Amino acid sequence: MIIGIDDTDSNEGMCTTYLGALLLEELQEYGNIETLPILVRLNPTIPYKTRGNAAVALKLKTDCPEKVIAHVTSRIEELARMECEKTNPGAVFIQEKDYERLRPVLMSFLEDAVKEVIEIETAKDLISKLGIASKGYKNGRGLIGALAACGAMLNPEGWDFTFEHLAYRQKERWGTQRSVDKESFFEADRETYPKTWDTVDLTNRLVVCVPHSADPVLFGIRGESPEIVNKAASFIRAEPVERFAVFRTNQGTDMHLLPAQNIAEIRDMHSYRLEGQVSAAPETLEGGHVIFAIRDREGGEIDCAAFEPTKNFRSLIRKLVPGDLVLLSGSVTSGTLNIEKIEIKDLAPVYREENPECPVCGKHMKSAGQGQGFRCKKCETHSLSKVRFETERNLEPGVYEVPPCARRHLAKPLAREKRRDIKLHPAR
Ligand code: ATP
């Protein structure tokens, strides 16, 4: 049986992955857990999300599905933060006999949940049309994520995946400041990067895998395999861990990006890979956000932003000039593309002008008066116009990314990129 759950937490506490980790242990009373649990990140622009728009699925071999359903629903009722308006839990249960039948439909539902915006009614209609056991609470929005997580579990090789080791705090410490030895995270990174990523941000000297909110997560280490994330976790010195779980995830895969043919097709609340030429030079706004515009071949234009939290990435963006050809990855909200990665494909030439040199003495000539060109008084030489030089750009073509402290869960880090056709500039 596959169990999908979503939308159990609020800003004040809980986390759907924690419920997943608890159930992993508790459901062993009713059968055998067959494989690693799944943590999917869905459309990152969805406003209903608490933090990272996560949903979880577990897979269990069991002879007593009714008992499993009763146990899961009673744990959701106990633990979900129902008092929060934004918490609308959902759980779906897929029987083994239905795996083949549901695989293609739910895999495509997962793709939509990561890339598109789905109505609650669409999920409810699908559940009733396909005859899936489910339980939605309040408006039942969590059914969307729960179905999507089941899609991922039904087809675990059908998408690019990574892993995360999530360590959870003892309950009595929830809501208090986390006690961790920061240096141990830098050690873990030194020993396992680039097979793990986003543990620390070296440039900004930050530990980025420890949350600051009231949820039960102590830290989460992301990487290429279960072995490497466990190895990295073994270096961590911190307060006692109540439990941990390793999830298979779509984090760090760019699964959210749609290829955009042109700017006219771009819609808010979607994420794209989009090519264009810089059409308005970068400008730094109040608050430190850097905004510029790109134009496509059909003349469509869109604002693109490197917001203040992207820190040092903004100094790279400020070097762009009109005419540069770029391929951007990022999400669009309020008509602005929030940059996650930039591929600088071609640099426009930039010129500076100087007064001409005197061919006799080699010194720069002076203006001979408005519209009268330039002259060297001493040598009595003349020239009509200034001389143009192409200047060095101090910017190299290649792919650049926001630093780890600003990375979106779904964004594929350059540490994972295998491309050889272009220079990669991984942020560390
Ligand atoms: P949690 O730990 O509870 O999962 P979260 O930050 O992951 O917290 P949720 O509380 O799950 O966010 O809120 C996201 C809500 O948005 C869920 O109800 C989920 O089903 C729904 N959702 C996810 N993807 C989409 C989508 N593509 N379209 C519409 N709704 C979506």
Side-chain angles (χ1 to χ4, degrees):
M1 174 185 231
I2 292 175
I3 302 146
I5 48 175
D6 193 16
D7 209 343
T8 63
D9 70 353
S10 74
N11 285 330
E12 278 69 51
M14 258 305 282
C15 169
T16 303
T17 71
Y18 179 70
L19 178 57
L22 284 178
L23 290 172
L24 267 185
E25 189 179 300
E26 296 168 2
L27 292 180
Q28 290 183 23
E29 196 184 326
Y30 307 107
N32 290 324
I33 296 290
E34 288 185 78
T35 180
L36 289 183
I38 280 188
L39 157 57
V40 276
R41 298 287 178 177
L42 306 173
N43 186 335
T45 69
I46 292 295
Y48 324 111
K49 69 180 182 179
T50 315
R51 280 177 293 267
N53 204 1
V56 165
L58 312 173
K59 193 173 183 193
L60 178 80
K61 191 102 188 150
T62 179
D63 302 330
C64 46
E66 295 312 323
K67 284 188 182 158
V68 172
I69 294 175
H71 183 88
V72 171
T73 50
S74 81
R75 290 300 264 157
I76 292 177
E77 284 154 26
E78 265 169 64
L79 293 166
R81 296 298 176 114
M82 302 285 189
E83 71 284 0
C84 170
E85 193 204 322
K86 273 170 110 183
T87 303
N88 297 284
V92 303
F93 306 90
I94 297 185
Q95 308 283 353
E96 198 172 341
K97 66 174 174 44
D98 293 327
Y99 288 179
E100 288 307 317
R101 177 173 70 90
L102 299 182
R103 182 169 291 131
V105 198
L106 292 191
M107 182 60 202
S108 126
F109 189 86
L110 165 69
E111 292 271 346
D112 283 353
V114 175
K115 295 174 177 157
E116 304 288 340
V117 180
I118 299 177
E119 299 296 327
I120 303 175
E121 285 317 309
T122 308
K124 289 185 176 169
D125 290 350
L126 198 66
I127 284 171
S128 74
K129 191 176 109 198
L130 298 171
I132 298 174
S134 72
K135 176 93 183 165
Y137 297 85
K138 296 166 67 186
N139 74 16
R141 184 174 286 115
L143 292 168
I144 299 171
L147 273 180
C150 290
M153 185 62 99
L154 280 167
N155 197 6
E157 303 293 329
W159 38 285
D160 184 16
F161 51 85
T162 62
F163 296 86
E164 180 160 4
H165 174 117
L166 275 160
Y168 299 99
R169 315 182 72 192
Q170 293 175 329
K171 196 160 185 187
E172 55 275 21
R173 293 179 188 256
W174 293 6
T176 65
Q177 202 181 340
R178 289 165 176 83
S179 163
V180 295
D181 173 354
K182 289 192 172 158
E183 191 43 43
S184 67
F185 290 89
F186 286 90
E187 260 174 68
D189 176 75
R190 273 197 299 277
E191 297 294 330
T192 57
Y193 180 90
K195 295 265 181 245
T196 64
W197 52 85
D198 292 357
T199 304
V200 295
D201 183 322
L202 292 184
T203 309
N204 296 297
R205 290 298 299 168
L206 291 169
V207 172
V208 295
C209 69
V210 176
H212 299 285
S213 45
D215 65 88
V217 174
L218 180 57
F219 62 83
I221 298 213
R222 297 168 180 198
E224 232 24 279
S225 68
E227 294 74 29
I228 199 76
V229 292
N230 287 337
K231 177 176 173 189
S234 72
F235 287 93
I236 306 305
R237 296 182 293 276
E239 63 183 54
V241 168
E242 185 211 73
R243 66 186 60 243
F244 76 91
V246 175
F247 291 85
R248 176 195 277 256
T249 106
N250 63 346
Q251 292 168 169
T253 64
D254 276 350
M255 188 178 187
H256 59 316
L257 301 180
L258 293 158
Q261 300 310 317
N262 55 42
I263 291 171
E265 75 179 38
I266 283 186
R267 293 158 296 161
D268 264 1
M269 295 174 75
H270 292 75
S271 308
Y272 297 96
R273 224 177 242 124
L274 168 69
E275 187 172 296
Q277 251 180 345
V278 175
S279 55
E283 216 185 304
T284 303
L285 308 184
E286 213 185 308
H289 312 305
V290 179
I291 312 281
F292 63 98
I294 63 166
R295 184 181 294 138
D296 65 14
R297 281 199 209 98
E298 283 118 80
E301 247 184 337
I302 186 167
D303 279 342
C304 305
F307 289 108
E308 189 283 330
T310 64
K311 304 287 173 207
N312 47 311
F313 182 69
R314 293 170 301 161
S315 50
L316 171 97
I317 296 299
R318 286 194 193 97
K319 292 181 185 170
L320 295 170
V321 301
D324 287 344
L325 182 66
V326 295
L327 175 65
L328 301 171
S329 305
S331 300
V332 178
T333 43
S334 310
T336 299
L337 186 131
N338 180 355
I339 309 168
E340 294 166 10
K341 264 186 300 218
I342 180 167
E343 179 172 334
I344 300 176
K345 299 183 87 157
D346 199 19
L347 294 174
V350 171
Y351 300 98
R352 79 187 149 80
E353 290 191 332
E354 275 182 8
N355 289 3
E357 282 178 5
C358 166
V360 179
C361 68
K363 291 195 175 146
H364 285 288
M365 296 179 171
K366 300 249 157 46
S367 169
Q370 202 167 19
Q372 294 178 57
F374 301 86
R375 68 174 181 186
C376 175
K377 231 174 172 175
K378 196 174 117 216
C379 309
E380 296 188 341
T381 53
H382 275 88
S383 178
L384 285 176
S385 53
K386 287 196 170 197
V387 205
R388 235 164 57 131
F389 294 97
E390 191 172 338
T391 57
E392 283 234 10
R393 283 296 306 277
N394 186 23
L395 179 62
E396 219 190 320
V399 193
Y400 299 81
E401 61 188 352
V402 299
C405 66
R407 184 152 14 238
R408 277 264 164 88
H409 298 293
L410 278 162
K412 181 173 174 177
L414 292 180
R416 295 199 67 221
E417 193 54 77
K418 302 277 186 292
R419 285 177 64 179
R420 287 174 182 273
D421 59 317
I422 189 158
K423 185 158 179 195
L424 306 175
H425 300 264
R428 288 216 63 196

